Amino acid sequence: MNPAEIAQRHREEEPKRLHDENDKLKQRLKLLEESGGSVDDLTQKVEKKLQEPDAGKEVEELKSQLTREELRNKRLMEAFKKTSQEFREVCYQLTGYKIDIPLCQPGHRTHKHVCRFPTRLPAVCCE
């Protein structure tokens, strides 16, 4: 391998190694404070604590996951509105009838059918 590549890889790995070491030292200090200075099996306790998921990290991960899902849901709704509008337009072009579903009271659906060639008033159907 090229010595420059080895040095580059070492520089890229060094911050992660230092961050991990810092986390271990913080856990060790926290355990020492909790146990009142007792050093019995301290290394094993630190390793066990590091293996357990941190509540703060878990909350941050869940928040980021929630944000991603909300963004995904928003994009899906936008795509649905666009395709449903295109579908309504195609139906209007093929059949000559435009179907509108205006917002009304919850539980009551009203459909409005408008003919391209109006010979009478628009039909309103209630379910």
Side-chain angles (χ1 to χ4, degrees):
M1 284 194 119
N2 186 351
E5 289 177 9
I6 293 172
Q8 176 68 24
R9 185 179 308 145
H10 180 67
R11 279 193 303 271
E12 290 172 355
E13 293 172 356
E14 186 70 13
K16 177 163 178 17
R17 186 186 64 78
L18 290 173
H19 181 68
D20 292 343
E21 184 179 349
N22 190 26
D23 287 343
K24 285 182 182 180
L25 290 173
K26 284 181 181 178
Q27 284 295 330
R28 182 178 292 263
L29 181 61
K30 185 177 179 181
L31 285 173
L32 276 172
E33 288 173 350
E34 288 175 358
S35 66
S38 174
V39 291
D40 299 333
D41 299 327
L42 187 62
T43 303
Q44 291 176 354
K45 289 179 182 178
V46 168
E47 292 298 325
K48 185 177 178 183
K49 282 279 194 180
L50 287 174
Q51 296 300 325
E52 295 174 359
D54 187 22
K57 290 180 183 177
E58 187 175 339
V59 168
E60 290 299 320
E61 182 180 323
L62 289 173
K63 283 182 181 180
S64 66
Q65 184 179 1
L66 178 64
T67 303
R68 284 192 311 268
E69 290 300 321
E70 286 175 344
L71 180 61
R72 181 176 170 262
N73 190 25
K74 181 180 175 184
R75 288 179 181 161
L76 283 173
M77 290 300 290
E78 288 172 358
F80 175 75
K81 286 179 182 179
K82 180 182 176 188
T83 54
S84 64
Q85 186 62 35
E86 289 173 357
F87 178 74
R88 287 182 181 151
E89 186 63 32
V90 167
C91 288
Y92 179 64
Q93 294 295 325
L94 291 174
T95 63
Y97 285 94
K98 184 182 254 184
I99 302 171
D100 290 325
I101 305 172
L103 295 175
C104 58
Q105 296 176 358
H108 298 286
R109 288 192 170 204
T110 304
H111 298 76
K112 182 178 178 184
H113 306 275
V114 180
C115 182
R116 179 189 297 182
F117 311 107
T119 57
R120 56 192 167 114
L121 295 175
V124 177
C125 299
C126 295
E127 291 181 9

